[in-house]
Amino acid sequence: MALAAALARAATAAGPLFLRALPLAPCTTAPAPAPALSRRRSLLSGDHTADEPPPPTQPPPSKLPNAPGAVPPLPWRAAEAEIVRDIDPVVQLIKDILHSDRYGDGECLSPKDENIIVEKLLAYHPRVDDKIGCGLDAIMVDKHPQFRKSRCLFVVRTDGVWIDFSYQKCLRAYIREKYPSHAERFIREHFKRT
């Protein structure tokens, strides 16, 4: 900016400024490459030298379009609709369990609802073994011990201990496992940050 202003002042004070290009002398010999640079190996891109372009990378064989068993990726909107169709019944059941008077505080789920929650949610929790511990006796609905206005699901263990679990963590893990190519975008767009 300052250079442009200085050139403008010089042009108005001394008249127009003309630059003359001087012819360059042709180069007689190519400069020799530095030995250290020509032999240097790139740490990030394999065994090529600095003077060579890196070799093209290939996706794993299972991701190649003509590989046997390869499934072409769905476009985003189709994948999003498929994920919603897949998880919607479980999400509606969770909302019904937590936000209706179907179950009171401290009440265990019916065997049918418990089976759905265990198979479709709890099985995908990142720390399922810690949650179940010595064994699963029941799934219960109650108020969260810290957040008294929130109801949540609890695993009731066979030793009588009960521990809460996040159904959203379970859903995220399920989506990441079943829809790996679209999971992060779906989670980012459809789940609250926790």
Side-chain angles (χ1 to χ4, degrees):
M1 188 75 150
L3 178 61
L7 287 174
R9 277 194 307 273
T12 56
L17 178 65
F18 295 104
L19 298 177
R20 191 171 58 159
L22 297 175
L24 296 175
C27 188
T28 56
T29 60
L37 289 177
S38 65
R39 292 189 190 101
R40 186 179 299 162
R41 302 283 181 186
S42 172
L43 295 176
L44 297 177
S45 55
D47 288 334
H48 66 279
T49 63
D51 297 333
E52 301 170 355
T57 58
Q58 291 290 325
S62 63
K63 301 295 182 189
L64 292 174
N66 298 331
V71 178
L74 288 173
W76 165 242
R77 290 293 173 209
E80 180 184 36
E82 182 180 333
I83 296 169
V84 168
R85 276 191 308 273
D86 186 19
I87 66 171
D88 190 58
V90 176
V91 170
Q92 294 306 316
L93 176 63
I94 289 291
K95 287 180 179 181
D96 188 40
I97 290 170
L98 294 177
H99 303 296
S100 73
D101 58 355
R102 183 172 169 184
Y103 291 103
D105 291 343
E107 193 174 342
C108 291
L109 301 186
S110 69
K112 178 183 173 190
D113 289 345
E114 183 178 313
N115 284 339
I116 293 169
I117 297 300
V118 170
E119 290 174 11
K120 302 275 185 177
L121 287 176
L122 187 58
Y124 294 94
H125 194 282
R127 297 182 310 133
V128 65
D129 294 333
D130 295 338
K131 298 292 181 179
I132 293 176
C134 61
L136 175 70
D137 188 35
I139 302 291
M140 178 180 74
V141 180
D142 207 344
K143 292 194 185 304
H144 193 278
Q146 285 181 298
F147 312 105
R148 297 303 298 168
K149 293 184 179 181
S150 296
R151 288 172 41 120
C152 64
L153 296 172
F154 290 85
V155 171
V156 180
R157 297 185 200 173
T158 54
D159 62 359
V161 173
W162 39 291
I163 185 168
D164 67 312
F165 70 96
S166 168
Y167 74 88
Q168 288 202 1
K169 283 184 182 178
C170 300
L171 282 173
R172 285 184 183 104
Y174 173 79
I175 292 166
R176 284 184 179 115
E177 182 177 310
K178 189 160 181 192
Y179 305 97
S181 59
H182 298 289
E184 294 310 315
R185 182 174 179 185
F186 185 88
I187 291 167
R188 190 173 51 250
E189 292 183 14
H190 292 274
F191 284 79
K192 294 178 183 175
R193 295 198 183 269
T194 57

